[in-house]
C-alpha cells in the first residue's frame, strides 16, 4: 500500500524477488509457490529466488521450478526465476539441472499448446561449478544469465580467494 507513495517521494522504483528457501520440505515450498504465483500479479514482484546454501540437489524443488516456468509462460514473460546453483562443488549438476528443468518445461508447454512462447527469464546465482560447454550451450539458447559475485563466493567460504575461481574460457 505504501510503495507508490515511497516511489513518488524518493524517485526510486522498488521491485522484489520473492525468496523460496531451497531447504524447505516440498509441501511447504509448493504452498509457498502457490502463494507466490498469487502475489506475482503485483507490479512490485518481478520474480523469485531459490536461495540458501547449496547443500541439496536442484531436483529437490523441480516441481516448483516447473510451476514457475509455466506461470511465466502463461502470465508474465518478464517474471524472473533465479536459482542459487554452482556455488560449491558438492552438486556439480545443479546449474545444468536448473536450466534443463526450465528449458524442458518450455519445450513441453510449446508442444502441448502448439504455440510459440517466450522462454522464461532465468538467472543462476554463483555458477562457479558445473558450468561446461553443454551448460553454456543451453544457457545461450535460453538467454539465461549466470552471475558471478566474487566477493560473495569468498565470503561463503566456497573459495579462499578469487584466484581459486574455476572459470576458464570454454
Amino acid at each position: 500500500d505504501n510503495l507508490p507513495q515511497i516511489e513518488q517521494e524518493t524517485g526510486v522504483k522498488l521491485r522484489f524477488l520473492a525468496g523460496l528457501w531451497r531447504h524447505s520440505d516440498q509441501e511447504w515450498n509448493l504452498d509457498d509457490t502457490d502463494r507466490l504465483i498469487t502475489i506475482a500479479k503485483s507490479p512490485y514482484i518481478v520474480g523469485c529466488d531459490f536461495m540458501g546454501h547449496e547443500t541439496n540437489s536442484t531436483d529437490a524443488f523441480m516441481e516448483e521450478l516447473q510451476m514457475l516456468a509455466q506461470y511465466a509462460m502463461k502470465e508474465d514473460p518478464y517474471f524472473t526465476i533465479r536459482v542459487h546453483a554452482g556455488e560449491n562443488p558438492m552438486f556439480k549438476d545443479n546449474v545444468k539441472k536448473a536450466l534443463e528443468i526450465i528449458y524442458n518445461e518450455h519445450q513441453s508447454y510449446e508442444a502441448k499448446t502448439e504455440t510459440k512462447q517466450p522462454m522464461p527469464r532465468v538467472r543462476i546465482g554463483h555458477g562457479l561449478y558445473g558450468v561446461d560447454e553443454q551448460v553454456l550451450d543451453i544457457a545461450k539458447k535460453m538467454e539465461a544469465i549466470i552471475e558471478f559475485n566474487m566477493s560473495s563466493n569468498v565470503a561463503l567460504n566456497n573459495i579462499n580467494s578469487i584466484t581459486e575461481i574455476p572459470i576458464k574460457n570454454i
Side-chain angles (χ1 to χ4, degrees):
D1 291 341
N2 297 321
L3 287 176
Q5 180 182 349
I6 293 169
E7 287 184 353
Q8 185 177 11
E9 289 174 3
T10 64
V12 175
K13 186 175 181 176
L14 299 170
R15 299 297 179 263
F16 301 94
L17 293 177
L20 295 171
W21 187 243
R22 68 180 296 131
H23 301 289
S24 296
D25 65 44
Q26 187 177 34
E27 184 177 345
W28 185 274
N29 263 350
L30 288 171
D31 286 346
D32 278 353
T33 302
D34 282 336
R35 281 191 280 282
L36 170 55
I37 288 170
T38 300
I39 65 169
K41 295 179 182 11
S42 161
Y44 302 106
I45 304 294
V46 295
C48 67
D49 185 2
F50 285 87
M51 60 185 188
H53 191 62
E54 188 182 14
T55 57
N56 63 344
S57 170
T58 302
D59 290 331
F61 48 91
M62 177 175 70
E63 192 172 342
E64 295 89 320
L65 286 171
Q66 292 168 325
M67 290 170 62
L68 291 165
Q70 288 176 23
Y71 167 77
M73 289 182 291
K74 291 177 187 177
E75 304 287 335
D76 185 356
Y78 299 106
F79 186 84
T80 298
I81 302 168
R82 184 172 185 259
V83 180
H84 287 243
E87 70 183 44
N88 63 57
M90 193 178 306
F91 291 92
K92 288 188 178 184
D93 287 341
N94 275 353
V95 174
K96 180 180 177 184
K97 286 180 181 183
L99 294 173
E100 285 180 340
I101 289 165
I102 296 166
Y103 182 83
N104 291 340
E105 193 62 31
H106 178 260
Q107 298 301 101
S108 174
Y109 188 76
E110 281 191 336
K112 185 175 87 179
T113 62
E114 297 180 353
T115 60
K116 275 305 244 179
Q117 298 292 324
M119 180 65 69
R121 295 172 73 174
V122 178
R123 297 178 75 98
I124 301 294
H126 298 286
L128 290 175
Y129 298 92
V131 176
D132 57 20
E133 200 167 320
Q134 184 181 18
V135 170
L136 289 177
D137 286 343
I138 192 170
K140 287 176 193 174
K141 284 183 198 173
M142 298 175 70
E143 297 183 15
I145 295 171
I146 300 175
E147 305 166 352
F148 298 100
N149 183 327
M150 304 312 172
S151 58
S152 172
N153 288 308
V154 171
L156 289 169
N157 292 319
N158 292 320
I159 55 175
N160 293 315
S161 82
I162 61 172
T163 61
E164 294 178 28
I165 295 170
I167 300 171
K168 63 180 181 177
N169 187 2
I170 296 176

